[in-house]
Amino acid sequence: MQISPPFGYEEVVPLYRNQKVRLPEPAEVPKFALSANAIPISYTEFSLALRDYPVVFVTTDEGRTFSAVAVLGMTAGENLFVRNGKWVDGVYIPAYARRYPFCMAKVKLDTVEQQDRLICVEKSYLDENGVEMFDAQGQGNERWREIERLIGEYEADLERSREMCGILLDYSLLEPFSMQATVNQGAPMQLTGMHRVDEKRLVHLNSSQIKNLLQKGVMARIYAHLLSLDSFGRLLERKAALSA
């Protein structure tokens, strides 16, 4: 059995009922997010994330598929929303970070990818002194039920995100863009590899396409995404304050 860890995870293993897990402290930032300038955002998070982060679209396969991410920093390896290993007070913590160290991982058996995903945990978080997730009868306790619900709901939400990004791609609504800025007379910074919805192309959609965007809730996410781009200004202000 081969397990493919999601972005940011190092080595994940199946979670068994007799294992204990070290759970992160409240607002603790996962190791990978300490130096990540972007983190995945799911379908229902757009309206929450736009309050703090620019939400953009990225591709890792040369434009065949896209996903939504929240931008955390202006340069590679920079998360401007971390203080002393924790998320700063008052910002929305993306579900991708809140579910850590658990995840739903892709599994291959004899090189064949399985349709169902497996609940896994970061191996380094397995700890005999950690928290029990199941009782003596192998039934999940209240803490585990909360975690399992988050994992399940997030995975379903990611499917809606994938469908949404597929529609944006099919309708040719995404365009590449970059951000350039200079903070406190320092060296110029440039963020590349991002895509946004081209508002002008929305005008040229036919009535059937517009109806589909409205019925599936994609139109609302489009405008949440476009509004969130104003957060680049606040990101620069945060960067300038830290630089000063």
Side-chain angles (χ1 to χ4, degrees):
M1 180 172 63
Q2 296 174 301
I3 301 176
S4 300
F7 161 75
Y9 291 71
E10 295 178 352
E11 182 182 1
V12 297
V13 293
L15 177 67
Y16 294 105
R17 297 178 186 274
N18 62 342
Q19 292 174 324
K20 297 179 182 179
V21 181
R22 179 182 75 80
L23 297 180
E25 297 293 325
E28 179 181 335
V29 181
K31 182 180 177 181
F32 74 88
L34 290 171
S35 57
N37 71 341
I39 191 169
I41 289 291
S42 66
Y43 183 84
T44 59
E45 293 186 281
F46 273 57
S47 59
L48 299 168
L50 71 83
R51 304 170 188 171
D52 301 300
Y53 316 104
V55 176
V56 302
F57 298 93
V58 297
T59 178
T60 58
D61 54 14
E62 299 181 342
R64 290 188 293 274
T65 60
F66 284 85
S67 58
V69 299
V71 180
L72 306 176
M74 291 300 299
T75 60
E78 175 182 71
N79 185 341
L80 296 172
F81 297 88
V82 174
R83 295 290 183 280
N84 301 319
K86 294 188 176 182
W87 297 96
V88 295
D89 292 339
V91 302
Y92 174 72
I93 302 176
Y96 197 94
R98 284 186 280 117
R99 71 170 183 170
Y100 191 82
F102 303 96
C103 67
M104 294 282 278
K106 296 179 180 179
V107 177
K108 286 184 178 180
L109 291 177
D110 298 326
T111 71
V112 178
E113 186 171 307
Q114 304 301 295
Q115 184 175 2
D116 294 331
R117 299 193 178 194
L118 188 66
I119 294 182
C120 293
V121 62
E122 189 77 86
K123 185 177 180 180
S124 60
Y125 277 70
L126 294 176
D127 188 342
E128 284 300 318
N129 297 317
V131 178
E132 291 183 338
M133 299 284 101
F134 303 89
D135 60 24
Q137 288 71 45
Q139 299 298 311
N141 55 32
E142 183 176 353
R143 189 65 179 273
W144 170 245
R145 288 194 294 271
E146 292 177 1
I147 294 170
E148 187 178 33
R149 183 166 56 251
L150 171 62
I151 296 170
E153 290 176 353
Y154 183 68
E155 196 63 25
D157 208 35
L158 282 181
E159 285 299 323
R160 289 191 286 270
S161 296
R162 282 188 276 268
E163 181 186 13
M164 174 188 66
C165 290
I167 293 172
L168 298 179
L169 183 58
D170 288 343
Y171 291 179
S172 300
L173 291 175
L174 296 174
E175 64 170 0
F177 79 106
S178 60
M179 289 291 297
Q180 295 178 324
T182 301
V183 175
N184 295 338
Q185 299 181 343
M189 298 175 296
Q190 184 173 19
L191 271 179
T192 60
M194 301 180 293
H195 289 72
R196 64 187 174 196
V197 171
D198 184 349
E199 287 187 90
K200 296 187 293 295
R201 296 181 188 177
L202 286 173
V203 178
H204 299 293
L205 296 179
N206 61 46
S207 59
S208 177
Q209 291 172 320
I210 292 175
K211 182 179 180 180
N212 191 41
L213 292 178
L214 291 170
Q215 286 182 332
K216 292 185 177 294
V218 175
M219 189 69 82
R221 271 76 195 174
I222 287 175
Y223 283 106
H225 146 68
L226 291 172
L227 286 170
S228 79
L229 299 182
D230 289 339
S231 292
F232 274 113
R234 291 190 288 274
L235 204 61
L236 282 171
E237 291 173 359
R238 185 178 291 272
K239 173 79 172 179
L242 289 174
S243 299

